[in-house]
Amino acid sequence: MIKVDASPFEFSFDPARTALVVIDMQRDFIEPGGFGETLGNDVSHMQRAIAPVRDLLALFRQQGWLVIHTRENHAGDLSDCPPAKRERGSPSLRIGDDGPMGRILIRGEPGAEIIPDCAPVEGEIVIDKPGKGAFYATGLGDLLAARGIATLVFAGVTTEVCVQTTMREANDRGFECLLIEEATESYFPEFKAATLDMIRAQGGIVGWTAPLAALQTALERQTRQPEAR
């Protein structure tokens, strides 16, 4: 077991039963001209998560641990996008409309793709999801069960919406969840801070949070001092 200095208390995980889930690091949410900006958001806030996510991916890849990416997107005919979702808010462009990077949040369009710095490599799993949570209307639950996964390490955007929703879905399904603090972002810094507090409140009611350095230190410590057999 690898032990991480986390909040609200130490987090332990078995790498053989652990997966990294990187939520929605997509151009439509992170780059200028995408859906996030059409909602009136300052996408520069999202840039802070790119390097930490890239470093977290590198750590998991170096160890050969399971990596899963998600993309929020919809079918071209919007058959999986209910009106209650498409009509919500006051964006300048709605889901399915033509934007600078193709149709907004439509599967296969350039804007719906993961940014190059965090793009999947060969062999990594990509889950396309029509909702905020990665378990809704996807095969994620079956995929994790087939691989015997019990622990999920989370990164991605946005902290308070798709990341937190997926963590709560995972918690309800019995997974132990750790969110890497720098590797997630919100358009609203105060929303990120509140979400981190909610996740680890009441003794970790949803899960744990930790800085990336804590995970790196835990791995280095484990490498220096292998568990006794």
Side-chain angles (χ1 to χ4, degrees), residues 25-122:
M25 291 294 289
Q26 295 163 254
R27 298 182 66 198
D28 262 328
F29 296 126
I30 294 172
E31 294 183 0
F35 186 55
E37 192 169 70
T38 75
L39 289 163
N41 296 311
D42 179 358
V43 297
S44 69
H45 292 298
M46 309 298 264
Q47 311 299 314
R48 291 190 291 266
I50 295 174
V53 170
R54 184 183 61 218
D55 292 346
L56 181 59
L57 282 165
L59 185 153
F60 266 71
R61 289 165 178 166
Q62 184 177 30
Q63 299 301 316
W65 298 342
L66 182 63
V67 174
I68 300 170
H69 304 259
T70 74
R71 298 181 296 206
E72 183 178 351
N73 55 41
H74 296 280
D77 63 1
L78 299 178
S79 57
D80 58 359
C81 182
K85 179 177 183 179
R86 186 169 190 268
E87 296 169 6
R88 191 66 54 82
S90 300
S92 58
L93 293 172
R94 295 190 180 276
I95 295 172
D97 289 349
D98 289 322
M101 295 182 285
R103 295 180 66 202
I104 298 288
L105 284 185
I106 295 299
R107 201 166 302 133
E109 295 285 344
E113 294 301 327
I114 295 169
I115 62 172
D117 278 355
C118 303
V121 299
E122 184 176 357

Side-chain angles (χ1 to χ4, degrees), residues 5-19:
D5 185 9
S7 295
F9 50 85
E10 185 178 79
F11 180 83
S12 300
F13 70 97
D14 176 359
R17 303 192 67 198
T18 299

Side-chain angles (χ1 to χ4, degrees), residues 16-227:
R17 303 192 67 198
T18 299
L20 170 63
V21 182
V22 182
I23 302 288
D24 300 357
M25 291 294 289
Q26 295 163 254
R27 298 182 66 198
D28 262 328
F29 296 126
I30 294 172
E31 294 183 0
F35 186 55
E37 192 169 70
T38 75
L39 289 163
N41 296 311
D42 179 358
V43 297
S44 69
H45 292 298
M46 309 298 264
Q47 311 299 314
R48 291 190 291 266
I50 295 174
V53 170
R54 184 183 61 218
D55 292 346
L56 181 59
L57 282 165
L59 185 153
F60 266 71
R61 289 165 178 166
Q62 184 177 30
Q63 299 301 316
W65 298 342
L66 182 63
V67 174
I68 300 170
H69 304 259
T70 74
R71 298 181 296 206
E72 183 178 351
N73 55 41
H74 296 280
D77 63 1
L78 299 178
S79 57
D80 58 359
C81 182
K85 179 177 183 179
R86 186 169 190 268
E87 296 169 6
R88 191 66 54 82
S90 300
S92 58
L93 293 172
R94 295 190 180 276
I95 295 172
D97 289 349
D98 289 322
M101 295 182 285
R103 295 180 66 202
I104 298 288
L105 284 185
I106 295 299
R107 201 166 302 133
E109 295 285 344
E113 294 301 327
I114 295 169
I115 62 172
D117 278 355
C118 303
V121 299
E122 184 176 357
E124 293 179 349
I125 297 164
V126 180
I127 300 287
D128 289 311
K129 61 185 184 69
K132 297 173 177 63
F135 288 87
Y136 169 70
T138 74
L140 179 58
D142 291 339
L143 183 154
L144 296 172
R147 288 163 173 77
I149 299 299
T151 302
L152 300 176
V153 177
F154 282 95
V157 300
T158 62
T159 314
E160 76 277 11
V161 184
C162 294
V163 175
Q164 180 178 208
T165 299
T166 303
M167 288 189 72
R168 289 180 179 274
E169 288 181 327
N171 177 261
D172 284 344
R173 289 162 172 78
F175 293 96
E176 302 283 21
C177 301
L178 171 68
L179 177 59
I180 302 301
E181 294 165 2
E182 308 99 314
T184 183
E185 272 302 335
S186 169
Y187 301 115
F188 309 96
E190 66 272 23
F191 288 3
K192 174 182 173 177
T195 301
L196 295 179
D197 285 342
M198 285 189 284
I199 286 168
R200 60 199 177 206
Q202 301 176 80
I205 194 167
V206 175
W208 288 257
T209 77
L212 178 58
L215 179 58
Q216 292 168 328
T217 298
L219 181 57
E220 291 167 2
R221 184 168 57 240
Q222 181 75 6
T223 302
R224 291 194 303 268
Q225 299 176 341
E227 288 186 28

